[in-house]
Structures are given as C-alpha cells and as structure tokens.
Amino acid sequence: MRPLEEAAATDGGGTAPPPGRSDAGSPPTPDDLRQAREVLTTEYNVLMSALSAAWTASLTRTSLFLAVVSAAGVAFGFASQGGMDSSTFLVVAFLVLLLTLFLGIATFIRLVEIQREATVYLTGMNRIRHFFAESSPTAATYFVLPVNDDETALYRSIGTGMRLKRPRFRMLHLSVQTQGIVGIVTAVVAGSCAGLAGSLGGPIVAWSLAALLFLVTLIVLYVYWHRSLTEVRTMLRPRYPTVPTVTDQVVAKG
C-alpha cells in the first residue's frame, strides 16, 4: 500500500488527537512536547526543501517546453524562406510538431504530478503549524500562514495566491496556472498538427480539424488534471478543517 493510501486508510476523516499525546487517556508530558517539537521542526524543514525542489523542477520543465516551442517557430520561419518546397516543408513541420506535442503532453503530466507532490507537502506543513499553534497559543496569534489542512487552507498557503476562498471562476483560475498555460500551448500544437494533416482538403477542413483537436486535447488534459488533484485531495482527508470566521462569511457573500 502506498503512503498516501495508508494515511487515508488510517485517517478516518475525523479530528486528530491532541499533539504529542500517545493515547486517548494520557495527556502529553513536557518531554513528549519537546521531542515532538524537535521532530516536527526537522520534518517542516524537509517538507520546505522538498517544496522548493518541486517548484524548481516545475519551472525547469516549463522553460524547456516553451524553449522548444519557440525554437520550432523560428525554425519554421527560416525553412519557409530557404527555398524548401511546400510538400517537404509540410512533412518536416508535421514531424516537428508531433515531437513538440509529445513533449507538451509529457511536460503537462509531469507538472500535474509536481502539483500533487506540492499539495502533500503543503498539507504536511499546515498540520505541523497546527501543532505549534496548539502547543503555543501565544505564538499562534503571530502566524500568517494557515494552520488548517483542508482545501480552503491550501488556497491560503505558500505559492497559491493567498486567497480567502476557492476561486469563483475555476476554469479561468486553472488557465492562468503553470499547468494551464502548458495545457493551452500543447492544445495549440495539437491543433496545428491536425491543421497540417487536413491542409490537403482545403482551408475549411484544415481549420475545422485544428479547432476540433484543440478543444479535444484541452478538455482531455484538464479532465486528467482535475481527476488527479481530486484523487490526492481525497486521500489527504482533512484533520483540522477551517472554521469560517466573520470575515470569511462577509467575503463569501461579496
């Protein structure tokens, strides 16, 4: 059984016991709390390092893909001005676009996997902050990052835009994320492949195939993205859900 599945199986979806408590009948001793602070501080640093590495990998993958797309466009420009006949140009362009499409799909899948990892890391960091908030209520008033581990808290975590609630326009929110940008560019490349393949049938056929494959590719990528994130959020059942405040209710009504 994978670690996330084990966590989901043993979690039960309820509220976790108080921090540092070994069983339900005995409160934690000062030594237990001290040891828990040391362990969780180390774990927090590990999660922060892993989160930074995940973001670096995401930027590297995205930069590589966009560089290949740009290089392909420049190469097409030089090829069209180099005296290459149209049939040869179409074949070369189709093969290059196919390779770019493969790279785009692979990049998108990897970015979604990185987002899944980041979701796990952020959830763990929020839970550790919850421990520190419970063990030191005085210091908790100075925390600016969330101490809850549900989806609402994730939107207020590091690197998420610090939203007070879930985005109202989910599709627009997805489209401006790194994964969404790569998905749209990949769908454009897929549409270009279809347009080139249908160019022999005339412009109407070419544009129709390009638009159709663009929409199909974008829908498939976004559905995969949504299901992948839903899976990891289902396995990470909240232990410390967010309690709505008066400010949250006012913002929700607005």
Side-chain angles (χ1 to χ4, degrees):
M1 184 179 293
R2 294 177 295 180
L4 284 178
E5 293 176 345
E6 292 177 357
T10 57
D11 201 341
T15 302
R21 182 170 299 182
S22 57
D23 56 70
S26 59
T29 64
D31 288 339
D32 292 334
L33 291 176
R34 179 183 55 80
Q35 184 178 12
R37 290 192 191 97
E38 294 176 355
V39 172
L40 291 179
T41 298
T42 303
E43 175 69 5
Y44 192 92
N45 293 332
V46 171
L47 292 176
M48 190 67 218
S49 299
L51 184 62
S52 299
W55 284 340
T56 301
S58 175
L59 292 176
T60 302
R61 287 272 187 160
T62 303
S63 300
L64 175 62
F65 171 62
L66 295 180
V68 171
V69 173
S70 300
V74 173
F76 292 157
F78 282 121
S80 62
Q81 298 176 2
M84 184 181 298
D85 61 276
S86 59
S87 59
T88 304
F89 175 78
L90 288 177
V91 172
V92 173
F94 184 75
L95 293 177
V96 172
L97 287 176
L98 276 182
L99 178 60
T100 307
L101 177 61
F102 167 76
L103 181 60
I105 295 175
T107 301
F108 183 85
I109 292 175
R110 181 55 187 151
L111 290 179
V112 172
E113 291 178 346
I114 291 174
Q115 187 177 12
R116 287 168 56 95
E117 296 175 15
T119 300
V120 175
Y121 302 151
L122 288 171
T123 301
M125 293 166 67
N126 290 352
R127 289 179 177 178
I128 293 175
R129 277 195 298 274
H130 185 91
F131 164 79
F132 287 121
E134 282 195 343
S135 60
S136 181
T138 304
T141 59
Y142 296 94
F143 289 175
V144 295
L145 293 176
V147 296
N148 307 101
D149 60 349
D150 56 358
E151 186 177 3
T152 301
L154 284 177
Y155 282 111
R156 304 179 184 179
S157 299
I158 302 175
T160 59
M162 301 296 177
R163 297 175 176 271
L164 292 179
K165 59 180 181 178
R166 295 175 59 181
R168 179 177 302 177
F169 304 103
R170 297 297 298 277
M171 188 58 64
L172 179 61
H173 175 72
L174 293 177
S175 299
V176 300
Q177 305 301 309
T178 303
Q179 296 86 346
I181 294 173
V182 171
I184 292 175
V185 175
T186 302
V188 170
V189 174
S192 300
C193 291
L196 285 177
S199 60
L200 297 178
I204 297 179
V205 175
W207 282 104
S208 299
L209 287 177
L212 177 61
L213 195 57
F214 169 80
L215 291 176
V216 170
T217 303
L218 191 62
I219 291 173
V220 170
L221 292 178
Y222 274 39
V223 167
Y224 165 77
W225 186 10
H226 174 72
R227 290 182 177 178
S228 182
L229 292 184
T230 301
E231 179 187 16
V232 72
R233 287 170 180 168
T234 300
M235 289 188 291
L236 291 172
R237 299 176 183 177
R239 296 185 177 186
Y240 313 106
T242 302
V243 178
T245 62
V246 176
T247 302
D248 296 335
Q249 295 174 359
V250 172
V251 172
K253 292 180 181 179

